[in-house]
Amino acid sequence: GAVVSQHPSRVICKSGTSVKIECRSLDFQATTMFWYRQFPKQSLMLMATSNEGSKATYEQGVEKDKFLINHASLTLSTLTVTSAHPEDSSFYICSAREVRNQETQYFGPGTRLLVL
Amino acid sequence: GQQVMQIPQYQHVQEGEDFTTYCNSSTTLSNIQWYKQRPGGHPVFLIQLVKSGEVKKQKRLTFQFGEAKKNSSLHITATQTTDVGTYFCADRAASGAGSYQLTFGKGTKLSVIP
């Protein structure tokens, strides 16, 4: 089956620093990748849709200058949390859609970010 | 690492028939969450099960957590066309220092034939 990886799985950083999270589709090509954030109420919140070769589409309320997304290839999307603050501490999950099968999403294992 | 297996991958049912998807792990599951994703949409949180043997109901949906906490199931009674979508289970487990990780199954895609 299709595999999506995320790196790092866990990161602790100081307030004010930037953190980059990678999302890779390991055995398929993904024209579209999604970035989610999970809040304490346990629901996934879609942050942005990342399309290969074009600018990401951000959901309402998500600061695009704060959460930089780059989808440079069909197998890699990155989310950079710039000038991170403690309130950015959260669980970030990516998912990817195959080029050939647009109805199925494959989820990565997630990245836990803790900003001190 | 943690692996969550979900079966079946696909299920086609006639409207009115029942449907069940199963989530299994070789290791003990911590907390099981279930999500529904409509075609073209994004996963929507349905429920979380925490206790061994727990059973919860939401209208026609029944969620169960196995006694050994190694499996979980979602059962839909008398399916309707609005039930179409992909159902994901996910294990929410602690990963140290107060953090947690979410491991998703690959999902079961449900089609309902009117």
Side-chain angles (χ1 to χ4, degrees), chain A residues 31-43:
Chain A
T31 49
T32 307
M33 289 186 172
F34 304 93
W35 286 96
Y36 297 87
R37 182 174 176 176
Q38 184 161 42
F39 288 99
K41 286 187 177 182
Q42 300 135 20
S43 60

PDB file of all heavy atoms in Angstrom, chain A residues 31-43:
ATOM      1  N   THR A  31       0.205  14.635  -6.483  1.00  0.00           N
ATOM      2  CA  THR A  31       0.086  16.009  -6.966  1.00  0.00           C
ATOM      3  C   THR A  31      -0.441  16.926  -5.877  1.00  0.00           C
ATOM      4  O   THR A  31      -0.185  18.117  -5.877  1.00  0.00           O
ATOM      5  CB  THR A  31      -0.881  16.082  -8.160  1.00  0.00           C
ATOM      6  OG1 THR A  31      -2.081  15.388  -7.818  1.00  0.00           O
ATOM      7  CG2 THR A  31      -0.265  15.485  -9.412  1.00  0.00           C
ATOM      8  N   THR A  32      -1.170  16.346  -4.940  1.00  0.00           N
ATOM      9  CA  THR A  32      -1.777  17.135  -3.884  1.00  0.00           C
ATOM     10  C   THR A  32      -1.438  16.563  -2.517  1.00  0.00           C
ATOM     11  O   THR A  32      -1.554  15.363  -2.304  1.00  0.00           O
ATOM     12  CB  THR A  32      -3.306  17.185  -4.042  1.00  0.00           C
ATOM     13  OG1 THR A  32      -3.637  17.628  -5.351  1.00  0.00           O
ATOM     14  CG2 THR A  32      -3.911  18.133  -3.020  1.00  0.00           C
ATOM     15  N   MET A  33      -0.993  17.424  -1.643  1.00  0.00           N
ATOM     16  CA  MET A  33      -0.746  17.030  -0.255  1.00  0.00           C
ATOM     17  C   MET A  33      -1.493  17.994   0.651  1.00  0.00           C
ATOM     18  O   MET A  33      -1.692  19.164   0.309  1.00  0.00           O
ATOM     19  CB  MET A  33       0.745  17.039   0.064  1.00  0.00           C
ATOM     20  CG  MET A  33       1.517  15.918  -0.617  1.00  0.00           C
ATOM     21  SD  MET A  33       3.241  15.855  -0.082  1.00  0.00           S
ATOM     22  CE  MET A  33       3.794  14.347  -0.843  1.00  0.00           C
ATOM     23  N   PHE A  34      -1.897  17.493   1.789  1.00  0.00           N
ATOM     24  CA  PHE A  34      -2.664  18.291   2.731  1.00  0.00           C
ATOM     25  C   PHE A  34      -1.929  18.357   4.067  1.00  0.00           C
ATOM     26  O   PHE A  34      -1.312  17.393   4.494  1.00  0.00           O
ATOM     27  CB  PHE A  34      -4.050  17.671   2.960  1.00  0.00           C
ATOM     28  CG  PHE A  34      -4.845  17.485   1.701  1.00  0.00           C
ATOM     29  CD1 PHE A  34      -4.791  16.286   1.009  1.00  0.00           C
ATOM     30  CD2 PHE A  34      -5.633  18.503   1.216  1.00  0.00           C
ATOM     31  CE1 PHE A  34      -5.523  16.101  -0.154  1.00  0.00           C
ATOM     32  CE2 PHE A  34      -6.366  18.339   0.051  1.00  0.00           C
ATOM     33  CZ  PHE A  34      -6.309  17.139  -0.636  1.00  0.00           C
ATOM     34  N   TRP A  35      -2.041  19.495   4.699  1.00  0.00           N
ATOM     35  CA  TRP A  35      -1.468  19.662   6.027  1.00  0.00           C
ATOM     36  C   TRP A  35      -2.594  19.912   7.025  1.00  0.00           C
ATOM     37  O   TRP A  35      -3.448  20.784   6.828  1.00  0.00           O
ATOM     38  CB  TRP A  35      -0.479  20.822   6.056  1.00  0.00           C
ATOM     39  CG  TRP A  35       0.811  20.479   5.359  1.00  0.00           C
ATOM     40  CD1 TRP A  35       1.144  20.764   4.070  1.00  0.00           C
ATOM     41  CD2 TRP A  35       1.909  19.764   5.918  1.00  0.00           C
ATOM     42  NE1 TRP A  35       2.393  20.271   3.784  1.00  0.00           N
ATOM     43  CE2 TRP A  35       2.891  19.655   4.904  1.00  0.00           C
ATOM     44  CE3 TRP A  35       2.184  19.220   7.172  1.00  0.00           C
ATOM     45  CZ2 TRP A  35       4.117  19.020   5.110  1.00  0.00           C
ATOM     46  CZ3 TRP A  35       3.391  18.584   7.377  1.00  0.00           C
ATOM     47  CH2 TRP A  35       4.353  18.487   6.355  1.00  0.00           C
ATOM     48  N   TYR A  36      -2.564  19.113   8.106  1.00  0.00           N
ATOM     49  CA  TYR A  36      -3.559  19.217   9.148  1.00  0.00           C
ATOM     50  C   TYR A  36      -2.879  19.522  10.476  1.00  0.00           C
ATOM     51  O   TYR A  36      -1.720  19.184  10.701  1.00  0.00           O
ATOM     52  CB  TYR A  36      -4.322  17.894   9.322  1.00  0.00           C
ATOM     53  CG  TYR A  36      -5.129  17.438   8.132  1.00  0.00           C
ATOM     54  CD1 TYR A  36      -4.537  16.667   7.130  1.00  0.00           C
ATOM     55  CD2 TYR A  36      -6.476  17.741   8.030  1.00  0.00           C
ATOM     56  CE1 TYR A  36      -5.282  16.226   6.047  1.00  0.00           C
ATOM     57  CE2 TYR A  36      -7.229  17.295   6.949  1.00  0.00           C
ATOM     58  CZ  TYR A  36      -6.617  16.539   5.969  1.00  0.00           C
ATOM     59  OH  TYR A  36      -7.345  16.096   4.903  1.00  0.00           O
ATOM     60  N   ARG A  37      -3.699  20.089  11.345  1.00  0.00           N
ATOM     61  CA  ARG A  37      -3.250  20.303  12.717  1.00  0.00           C
ATOM     62  C   ARG A  37      -4.314  19.681  13.610  1.00  0.00           C
ATOM     63  O   ARG A  37      -5.509  19.797  13.352  1.00  0.00           O
ATOM     64  CB  ARG A  37      -3.117  21.795  12.989  1.00  0.00           C
ATOM     65  CG  ARG A  37      -2.610  22.142  14.355  1.00  0.00           C
ATOM     66  CD  ARG A  37      -2.365  23.647  14.462  1.00  0.00           C
ATOM     67  NE  ARG A  37      -1.957  23.996  15.803  1.00  0.00           N
ATOM     68  CZ  ARG A  37      -1.601  25.221  16.179  1.00  0.00           C
ATOM     69  NH1 ARG A  37      -1.625  26.209  15.301  1.00  0.00           N
ATOM     70  NH2 ARG A  37      -1.234  25.457  17.415  1.00  0.00           N
ATOM     71  N   GLN A  38      -3.845  19.006  14.637  1.00  0.00           N
ATOM     72  CA  GLN A  38      -4.811  18.395  15.530  1.00  0.00           C
ATOM     73  C   GLN A  38      -4.814  19.101  16.862  1.00  0.00           C
ATOM     74  O   GLN A  38      -3.788  19.234  17.524  1.00  0.00           O
ATOM     75  CB  GLN A  38      -4.528  16.912  15.732  1.00  0.00           C
ATOM     76  CG  GLN A  38      -5.599  16.247  16.579  1.00  0.00           C
ATOM     77  CD  GLN A  38      -5.618  14.757  16.443  1.00  0.00           C
ATOM     78  OE1 GLN A  38      -4.557  14.161  16.428  1.00  0.00           O
ATOM     79  NE2 GLN A  38      -6.786  14.160  16.328  1.00  0.00           N
ATOM     80  N   PHE A  39      -5.971  19.529  17.267  1.00  0.00           N
ATOM     81  CA  PHE A  39      -6.151  20.255  18.513  1.00  0.00           C
ATOM     82  C   PHE A  39      -6.571  19.317  19.632  1.00  0.00           C
ATOM     83  O   PHE A  39      -6.972  18.183  19.382  1.00  0.00           O
ATOM     84  CB  PHE A  39      -7.203  21.349  18.311  1.00  0.00           C
ATOM     85  CG  PHE A  39      -6.700  22.483  17.480  1.00  0.00           C
ATOM     86  CD1 PHE A  39      -7.005  22.561  16.137  1.00  0.00           C
ATOM     87  CD2 PHE A  39      -5.898  23.465  18.030  1.00  0.00           C
ATOM     88  CE1 PHE A  39      -6.514  23.605  15.363  1.00  0.00           C
ATOM     89  CE2 PHE A  39      -5.412  24.515  17.255  1.00  0.00           C
ATOM     90  CZ  PHE A  39      -5.726  24.581  15.931  1.00  0.00           C
ATOM     91  N   PRO A  40      -6.516  19.802  20.845  1.00  0.00           N
ATOM     92  CA  PRO A  40      -6.866  18.954  21.998  1.00  0.00           C
ATOM     93  C   PRO A  40      -8.258  18.348  21.931  1.00  0.00           C
ATOM     94  O   PRO A  40      -8.511  17.361  22.564  1.00  0.00           O
ATOM     95  CB  PRO A  40      -6.735  19.921  23.183  1.00  0.00           C
ATOM     96  CG  PRO A  40      -5.727  20.918  22.734  1.00  0.00           C
ATOM     97  CD  PRO A  40      -5.975  21.101  21.257  1.00  0.00           C
ATOM     98  N   LYS A  41      -9.152  18.922  21.167  1.00  0.00           N
ATOM     99  CA  LYS A  41     -10.480  18.330  21.047  1.00  0.00           C
ATOM    100  C   LYS A  41     -10.484  17.136  20.116  1.00  0.00           C
ATOM    101  O   LYS A  41     -11.525  16.575  19.838  1.00  0.00           O
ATOM    102  CB  LYS A  41     -11.478  19.372  20.546  1.00  0.00           C
ATOM    103  CG  LYS A  41     -11.862  20.396  21.587  1.00  0.00           C
ATOM    104  CD  LYS A  41     -12.973  21.288  21.058  1.00  0.00           C
ATOM    105  CE  LYS A  41     -13.410  22.267  22.124  1.00  0.00           C
ATOM    106  NZ  LYS A  41     -14.523  23.120  21.630  1.00  0.00           N
ATOM    107  N   GLN A  42      -9.302  16.791  19.615  1.00  0.00           N
ATOM    108  CA  GLN A  42      -9.064  15.584  18.839  1.00  0.00           C
ATOM    109  C   GLN A  42      -9.499  15.634  17.391  1.00  0.00           C
ATOM    110  O   GLN A  42      -9.359  14.674  16.689  1.00  0.00           O
ATOM    111  CB  GLN A  42      -9.705  14.356  19.507  1.00  0.00           C
ATOM    112  CG  GLN A  42      -9.171  14.102  20.896  1.00  0.00           C
ATOM    113  CD  GLN A  42     -10.281  13.803  21.881  1.00  0.00           C
ATOM    114  OE1 GLN A  42     -11.377  13.425  21.486  1.00  0.00           O
ATOM    115  NE2 GLN A  42     -10.011  13.981  23.153  1.00  0.00           N
ATOM    116  N   SER A  43     -10.062  16.699  16.942  1.00  0.00           N
ATOM    117  CA  SER A  43     -10.444  16.753  15.532  1.00  0.00           C
ATOM    118  C   SER A  43      -9.289  17.282  14.690  1.00  0.00           C
ATOM    119  O   SER A  43      -8.474  18.055  15.166  1.00  0.00           O
ATOM    120  CB  SER A  43     -11.672  17.640  15.351  1.00  0.00           C
ATOM    121  OG  SER A  43     -11.392  18.942  15.802  1.00  0.00           O
TER     122      SER A  43
END
